[in-house]
Structures are given as structure tokens and as C-alpha cells.
Amino acid sequence: MDFINTILGTPLGFVIYFAYQILGSYGLAIVAFAIIVKIPLFPVMMLAHRNSIRLLQLQPALYLIKQRFAGDKEGINEAQYELFAKEKYSPLLGIVPLVVQLFLVMGILQVMYHPLQHMLRLPADTIDQLVDGVGGFAPQLQVLESIYGELRFLGLNLTATPSIRYPSIELIVPLVSGLAAFIFCMVQNAISPGALSQSKRTNTGLTIFTVCLSLYFAFALPVGVGLYWTVGNLAAIAVVLLLNFMYPPKKLAKDALVHIRATSKTKQEILEDKRIKRALRERESADVLRFKTAKKQVVFYAISSGQYKFYKTIIDYLLKHSDIAVHYLTNDPNDAVFDIQHVQLFPYYAGQQKTISLMLKLQTDIMVTTVPDLQNFHMKRSIVRDDIEYIHTFHGPTSTHLVYREKAFDHFSTLFCVGPHQVTEIRRRESIANLPKKKLVKIGYGLYDQLVDSYKNQRGRRNEKPRLLIAPSWQADNILDVCINDILESLSGNKYDVVVRPHPQYIRLFPGRINTLKEQFANDSITFELDFLGNESIFASDILITDWSNIGYEFAYCTLKPCIFINTPMKVMNPNYTKYALEPLDITLRDKVGVSVDVENL
């Protein structure tokens, strides 16, 4: 405490001492200090205010990130970090004023408990003699009162600590302090950019916390500290009003506020979400218990319903040719696997957070997943069994060193490879990183086999007019974001039948964008397909137009018809992919199963 008193109490003590010399009142000195200190703090608070406006402006982008990476906390955190870095927003800047205020309170507290040093400026030897033998938590206060009497301001003893047990007029200070904090929060919730970017529930929680903190300070500490805290909150109201006048968030972030209102949930929707979450927690508890107690040989793990199709060929073979029980763990409560009835198939639901502990204590012989980055993020190797064979099965012919992180497959035991290029790439990675060789199994791609079988009945079918299917990916800067207007305008007329098939995730994220395109282009020759129950539009088309979506290869290998690939910005997860000296198949195949076209040459 001597260190804090020296570092914080001494400089603040000088300020209050000079104010005391000028005003002749210790109480007025505290009031003056609480107001004056806002002046050097103002540039910091202005910086934090502008930073909060930037966060408010980023709310639509943050909303899209949460929707795009729903259920993937690591993906959300990484995308948010990249967004903040790009837009020069600092999450830490907002807490700077709060931290400074905390240090000021600590300093004021030292001034209050050391009045002989800071207010009367007595020498250290004299102070030691005066407090020698005086017991209690604040001996200098006791000495000051015994010699000079109480320090009073507006009838209040500034050195006393309010007590409900021993009621006195000083109890008014906690009440006024709590009221000042409440008024400050109400003003801030109504106009400050930080509050406007948060939900009412969050703002209510922060209001309760702030008021309770003010009450605590005013009850637990001398009246002088409560006086400082009260005046500080009132002065903060004036600062908030001034900052909002200089940089009005409702004007500078008008579009973001419209988006927030449009995406905010009603009270009924919030209650329904709570009901669903409660039901999911109960379901998760039951499934987790079943999973833990089950004797397992083979476990498949998926983060979404759409991943079952990548496992289907493998699981179907196991169920048909063995008596092995297949245990299927999914983070999606609506996974299609729950609709499959088979005596050997056991599906379980667990959220991603619960999956972390299940993976750490996993007991099985084999674990199969299409999720990469084992050991790098939430999916860890078991700590109770070190002999589990971890198998990664790829969900497409994409190259392993381009659209995956560089260490995505380092900790797997076995990889089910779609084609020989993946074998070459993995061996190159093992050589570069000096990793032990994995078991690489050449299994092909079961999903293509399923599509080829489904297409057999469609062969020989001819369209009256050439049928063009536009099916982009849903990654950022896809066809729908970059050039769909140019494409549709060039294909409009009666020469072609054009079908636009947005990715289902894109429809979920951007329904307004889809509706605008439909209103602008939908006619007899251009239709929008928003139903994804089957592959009819893929099978019936003569040419597919896409960007970097795997649907291009599904179409090409299934129908043996060509594709047009639009060179929108490429998704690169491994910036070091060029050091492997292997051209990714994602690039090579574009001009082998069709043609690739730069956006500027559409």
C-alpha cells in the first residue's frame, strides 16, 4: 500500500492540496478535483468514444461473421480479429477510461487515508510520531480528528464511513451516489455508441453493475470517496453529452442502427430462444451421458448436418458389411443423421463446448472426421487413450495446402485421400515440417459416386434451349457479391434458360440481397432456385457457371459437361502455399474441366 500511496496518492495529493489552499474546504477540493480531472481525461474519452462509433458501424459486418461461422467460435474469433485489424478498431481502447478511473479512485483513497501527509503536508517523522501506538485501519484519520476535529462538508463528516448499523446523515451519500450512477447510465444507454451497439439486456446488466459498484464504494469507503464518485458520475454525464454533440453516433452510424433494429429479436423471440436452449441443454445432457457410457470402436464427428453426405459411403459400407456399431457425434441438433433408423447407428448431439471435454476423454479405437485442425483448436486428441487412430476424410478434391491452414492435418494418424495430388501434397508437408509419415489411404470420393449413380437416368436428355446453371460459393466476394449483375444482363433474353442457385448459407445470410436480385432479373428466361432438396437443376443443365465452389467439380465429373469458372478473389487459408512448389488442383482443374474467366473479361 505504501507503493500505491507513493505512485498514486502523492501526485493526486498535491492537486487536492492546492485546491484546498485556494478553496479553503476539503470537500470543495474533492468536488473541484472530480471535475478538473475530466479535462486531461477528455482526449482519452474522446478517442474511446470515436472507437465505440467505429464498433457501432461494424455491427452489420459482425452480424454476418456470426451468421457465417455459426457454431464455430474459433472461426468467429479469427474473422473478428481480421475485421478489427482491417478497420483499425481496438477492443481494448474502450476500457481505458474505466481503468484510469479505477486508478484515480485508488489514488483518492490513499489521499483520504493519509490526510496528514497529503492535506497538511506534515513531514514523515512527525506523522510517524503522531500515529505511533494508534490502532485501527486508518490511524492518520483518527489522529486528524483527535487534533483538528471532523472534516465536514455540507454537514457531512468526510472521514466517516456510512453504516446502516449506526445510522447517520452520512447515509445520504450512498443514496446520492447510486442515483447519480443511475442517471449517468440512463443518459449513456440512450445516446452513447457503446450502448447503442449492445442489447437492452446487456445495457440493463451494466446499469445494475455500475449502480451497485457506486453503492459499494460509497458504503465501504469514507464519505470523501463517495463524494468524489458522485461528482465524477455527474461530470461524466456532461462529458457524454458533449462527445455526442461533437460526434453524434446516430448520424455517423445511421445505417448500422437501421441494421441493428432490423435484426433485433422481439421479446417473444428471445423467450422462444431461451426455451429452445433449455430443451437443447436437457437433450445434450442425455446424449452426452449415453455417449460417455457407450462402448465404442468407431466414432464419426461432424459440426453440421451437411457433413453426413461426406461420410455416407463409408458408413453405409460399415453397416452393410459388418456388425460394428457406428457412433455419430454431431454439433447440429437438426442433423439429418437423426432421421436415419438403423440398429447399428447411434447418433448423439453435443454443443461445441461440450465436445471439447468429450474429445479430451474419448475412448474408442477409431475417430473419423471431415473437420481439420485436430489439436489446433477445440478438437483435441484424447488424454485417456493414446492409441486412437484419428482419420480425416476430405470433403472434395481441393488441395490440402491452399484452402486449409498449414498445420491442419499434422496431428492426424490417417488421411482418406480423394486423389493422388493430396498424397503428394501431404508427403511434401511431412518433408518440409519434418513430420512422421501418416497412413494415406486412396479411397476416392464417395459423394461423386452417389451423384454419378443418381445421374444415370438423366443421360441423353436434351433441352430445347441451352440451360445455364449459376451456382456460386458463399465465401466473401463470390459471384453474387462481385459480378452477378453483369452476368445476368449479358445472358438476359430468350437465347438461354438461366437458373441462379445461390448457396443455402448465402440465402440465410443475405435474404434481402436475393429478393433484390429476383425483383430485378427474374423473368421467363431467368429463374432463381431456392429449394435444395434434390440435384435436378445440376443434372438438367448444359453448362455450370461458378467461382471457387466444389459444385463445379461435382457437376463436371457427374455429367461430363463443362464449367465456366469466374476468377473472383481466391480463398487462401495458407499464405505459404507457394513454398510447396505444387500448383493447387483448385487452380489446375479450372481450365481442364472448363474455362476460367477473369472478372474484368466477363
Side-chain angles (χ1 to χ4, degrees), residues 161-219:
T161 300
S163 171
I164 297 177
R165 186 176 181 182
Y166 303 105
S168 66
I169 192 174
E170 280 73 28
L171 281 175
I172 195 174
V173 173
L175 299 179
V176 174
S177 177
L179 180 61
F182 178 76
I183 296 172
F184 167 69
C185 288
M186 290 298 98
V187 173
Q188 186 167 250
N189 291 347
I191 61 175
S192 73
L196 292 174
S197 65
Q198 297 169 162
S199 66
K200 289 183 178 180
R201 182 179 180 183
T202 300
N203 288 333
T204 300
L206 288 174
T207 298
I208 293 173
F209 172 78
T210 303
V211 172
C212 289
L213 186 65
S214 297
L215 289 172
Y216 170 78
F217 275 138
F219 267 115

Side-chain angles (χ1 to χ4, degrees), residues 371-374 376 392 400 404-412 429:
V371 181
D373 291 298
L374 175 65
N376 296 332
H392 178 86
T400 61
Y404 293 99
R405 295 177 180 87
E406 192 165 30
K407 300 178 181 179
F409 310 108
D410 288 359
H411 298 282
F412 284 96
R429 168 64 188 164

